[in-house]
Amino acid sequence: MCWSATADLTAGAVITAVGIACLARTRRPRDLPLAALPALLGAHQLTEAAVWHSGGGCGPATTAWAAIALPLLPVWVPLAVLLAAAPALRPRLRWPAAVGLATGAYLSYCLATRPACAEVRGHTLGYGVNVPWMPLVLAGYLFATVGALLISGDRRLRLLGLLMAAGALVCTALWRLEFASTWCAFAAAASTLILAWTGRREDSPRVREAFGRSASGL
């Protein structure tokens, strides 16, 4: 992924299909935002394919890509984890949700007042948005997205958080100028773990108990 428009298009289509499968397997309404994450990130990769086709620049495709990557994800991920979590775990998950809301609001202001531009750099895309206090904003962004998964209390979501944290370190070390593009692609691929998470939710004791009652009444 991120190597070309074709790679982004193919990966985006596959991950979006996984996201649709996650939604189809979800039974509890409060699990839907988290189950929808692969579909959102798959659509994000499809948007990046449009950025490739436009040759980068500061057009609508770049703005749409940046709107998902910057303000939307740090709000969506921790709130989705908070909604899906057991009641006993929600107090600690309010912290990444609050940080995500603040980070998203600040990044929304930056996008509204400054253009987002993309540049083709070999086999990757580099995105440029003038964000003051970037190290602090990045820390808040990663705490909201990765941190919420790590403290979610769910084994599969913690694994997803660990993979995303590792991906952030690798992308920072190898592709510092293209961090946003490469990390979001890695996050999209890693989010397919949510398919296993929705399967576990579907087979939870409560669902099995309800199924047993229905079967006994036949």
Side-chain angles (χ1 to χ4, degrees):
M1 295 190 301
C2 294
W3 301 321
S4 66
T6 302
D8 269 324
L9 190 63
T10 303
V14 171
I15 295 166
T16 300
V18 170
I20 293 171
C22 291
L23 289 170
R25 297 175 65 173
T26 301
R27 297 294 177 262
R28 299 193 312 172
R30 62 190 182 93
D31 290 342
L32 286 171
L34 191 54
L37 183 60
L40 174 65
L41 291 172
H44 197 217
Q45 294 306 119
L46 295 176
T47 303
E48 186 162 82
V51 177
W52 278 105
H53 282 299
S54 65
C58 306
T62 301
T63 301
W65 189 95
I68 297 173
L70 299 183
L72 182 57
L73 284 181
V75 174
W76 187 293
V77 173
L79 287 179
V81 174
L82 176 63
L83 284 171
L89 297 174
R90 289 175 192 166
R92 70 184 184 187
L93 288 167
R94 293 191 182 112
W95 290 103
V99 171
L101 286 170
T103 303
Y106 181 70
L107 289 171
S108 294
Y109 169 77
C110 291
L111 278 179
T113 56
R114 301 168 175 86
C117 296
E119 178 185 355
V120 177
R121 295 169 178 162
H123 292 291
T124 58
L125 285 168
Y127 292 87
V129 181
N130 184 11
V131 179
W133 306 99
M134 188 59 194
L136 181 62
V137 174
L138 182 59
Y141 186 106
L142 292 176
F143 176 68
T145 53
V146 177
L149 293 166
L150 291 176
I151 65 174
S152 65
D154 184 283
R155 179 172 58 85
R156 289 176 175 83
L157 295 183
R158 284 199 299 268
L159 177 58
L160 174 58
L162 288 171
L163 288 175
M164 291 175 66
L169 290 174
V170 171
C171 292
T172 299
L174 299 181
W175 301 288
R176 184 175 60 85
L177 295 178
E178 297 82 22
F179 171 79
S181 174
T182 50
W183 184 78
C184 285
F186 186 88
S191 72
T192 57
L193 282 172
I194 293 177
L195 185 63
W197 177 80
T198 56
R200 184 190 65 81
R201 307 294 271 194
E202 186 178 25
D203 296 330
S204 66
R206 182 177 298 178
V207 173
R208 291 197 300 268
E209 180 183 352
F211 179 79
R213 287 198 302 267
S214 299
S216 64
L218 294 177

